Amino acid sequence: MKIDIIGVGSLGLLLAGKLTQSGNEVRLWCRGIEQCRQLEEGGLNVSYEDDRDPISISGDRFASAPIEEFTDTYLREPSDWIILTVKQNTLHNALPEILSPLKAERVHIICFQNGIGHMEMLRDLLPKANLYAAVTTEAAKRKSLTEVIHAGAGEVWIGKWSVENGQAHIIHTDLQANYLIEVLTMAGFSAFLSNEVDTMIYRKLLINAVINPLTAIWRIPNGELLASEGRLQLMRELFREATMVYDACGVTYDEDGWDNILEVCRITAGNISSMLADVLASRTTEIRWINGSLIEMAERTGTSVPLHRWICQLVEGIKV
Ligand code: PAF
């Protein structure tokens, strides 16, 4: 399968390594020329925290180029799937201009972002596209511009984003999506089609809205959130406000949603959240599309979310 991966962070590198290794033709679209150069010269590397052998892929087994060259290349030589693994910030600020020449194309795009709001943006930008949302629990830590550690095997859930009601759902006869699941499975991922990806997206949003900003502000790994009653109290309050918003918007969530968050902290105890990773690398965070989206939902329904407002301002104030 010919696959374009736009965004070569931890997840992009992980997907690229495994998909190339299993025989697919992968093109990587990077944000900086330096990353393209390093990938071309030194290839890419996926390693593990246990004693499994790393995957090393030489630079001649895949293509890499700056993101700005993507659309011209795609129009000359289309791929089967475009995988978007850029952060929300790039997706909203850089991709509209880059992708707009594809507005008449029936491209297949799959989005792996945390947070919400991007599917609607892409739907408006690319009305003919086949849009899919993915939710993953794979844990990947980037070591350098070309190296990633596969820190924990998770699952990948994929659903088609329907035009009618803005909800992700699966079409079982969707050959292209079935083919992608097959290809991901052959690459070693536990990948599934789901008719509940929208529910999963909101479940993940709840988890990210509690874990990510607090770990970013306190600069602690996820497991450290459980270390004191004071921390748990703030987490609980963020969770309570978020569920009030969900109730007001008619978004369903698991009865054991709070326990799920505690469980994620335990399972990913040693991990640096994606938001803390952004803060440590002086990158813009995804707070606007995580807690900021909850605030927008709260505004639409007249729900009061003072802690989410404060937390947004605190995180946004880290990078000036
Ligand atoms: O954004 C992240 O880092 C992850 O989604 C999660 C689940 C919080 C684990 O670190």
Side-chain angles (χ1 to χ4, degrees):
M1 182 183 269
K2 185 179 273 195
I3 303 165
D4 284 305
I5 299 180
I6 302 184
V8 195
S10 51
L11 188 60
L13 277 173
L14 176 68
L15 288 163
K18 296 200 169 223
L19 287 167
T20 308
Q21 173 81 342
S22 57
N24 298 286
E25 195 183 329
V26 174
R27 296 188 295 211
L28 288 179
W29 302 96
C30 314
R31 293 222 59 213
I33 194 80
E34 177 55 20
Q35 188 177 26
C36 299
R37 195 190 60 73
Q38 288 190 22
L39 284 165
E40 225 170 275
E41 283 176 10
L44 68 85
N45 190 279
V46 180
S47 58
Y48 301 91
E49 280 173 337
D50 54 29
D51 54 7
R52 267 175 293 170
D53 289 336
I55 302 173
S56 290
I57 314 273
S58 58
D60 56 0
R61 289 180 61 194
F62 58 89
S64 59
I67 206 171
E68 291 76 17
E69 292 174 20
F70 164 70
T71 308
D72 282 350
T73 309
Y74 182 92
L75 288 170
R76 269 197 325 271
E77 212 186 306
S79 59
D80 300 300
W81 277 94
I82 302 167
I83 299 182
L84 291 187
T85 46
V86 283
K87 292 281 177 114
Q88 288 276 10
N89 185 45
T90 306
L91 204 154
H92 284 266
N93 296 329
L95 283 200
E97 196 184 329
I98 290 169
L99 295 181
S100 63
L102 299 180
K103 66 173 173 296
E105 307 291 319
R106 298 191 181 279
V107 291
H108 280 78
I109 299 192
I110 179 158
C111 299
F112 274 85
Q113 285 65 34
N114 276 338
I116 57 172
H118 53 292
M119 299 306 291
E120 291 78 1
M121 186 278 271
L122 286 169
R123 165 60 54 225
D124 291 345
L125 184 70
L126 305 171
K128 296 274 188 332
N130 295 287
L131 286 181
Y132 293 76
V135 175
T136 182
T137 49
E138 291 288 349
K141 285 193 255 178
R142 200 170 79 167
K143 239 169 105 179
S144 71
L145 288 178
T146 61
E147 297 169 295
V148 65
I149 303 169
H150 193 187
E155 290 169 347
V156 180
W157 292 88
I158 294 171
K160 184 155 180 148
W161 193 258
S162 94
V163 194
E164 300 80 39
N165 52 14
Q167 301 222 318
H169 72 113
I170 172 195
I171 299 177
H172 282 286
T173 50
D174 187 331
L175 293 179
Q176 191 84 346
N178 279 308
Y179 184 23
L180 178 67
I181 294 291
E182 223 173 273
V183 163
L184 286 167
T185 307
M186 275 164 61
F189 294 99
S190 300
F192 312 95
L193 287 177
S194 168
N195 57 1
E196 286 187 347
V197 169
D198 53 336
T199 311
M200 290 180 183
I201 287 173
Y202 281 106
R203 188 183 298 150
K204 182 117 193 254
L205 182 70
L206 204 51
I207 294 170
N208 290 134
V210 175
I211 295 180
N212 294 27
L214 294 179
T215 51
I217 292 165
W218 289 326
R219 301 193 176 213
I220 51 172
N222 298 347
E224 290 285 314
L225 284 175
L226 311 177
S228 82
E229 186 46 40
R231 288 176 182 170
L232 281 164
Q233 218 176 333
L234 271 189
M235 289 169 70
R236 232 179 263 118
E237 184 54 17
L238 281 174
F239 176 76
R240 193 191 65 80
E241 284 187 3
T243 53
M244 275 170 49
V245 174
Y246 278 19
D247 286 338
C249 292
V251 174
T252 51
Y253 53 92
D254 302 326
E255 260 176 44
D256 55 356
W258 170 246
D259 292 331
N260 283 343
I261 292 176
L262 299 182
E263 187 60 10
V264 171
C265 289
R266 278 186 215 109
I267 295 171
T268 64
N271 290 12
I272 298 292
S273 75
S274 53
M275 198 169 284
L276 175 55
D278 286 339
V279 166
L280 294 175
S282 301
R283 290 187 296 255
T284 304
T285 71
E286 295 187 304
I287 191 88
R288 197 175 135 198
W289 293 279
I290 298 177
N291 301 74
S293 298
L294 279 168
I295 294 171
E296 272 173 29
M297 289 163 76
E299 275 166 2
R300 284 203 299 274
T301 50
T303 315
S304 167
V305 286
L307 190 54
H308 283 278
R309 287 185 190 283
W310 278 115
I311 231 83
C312 252
Q313 285 193 7
L314 282 169
V315 173
E316 270 171 354
I318 294 174
K319 187 174 186 286
V320 284

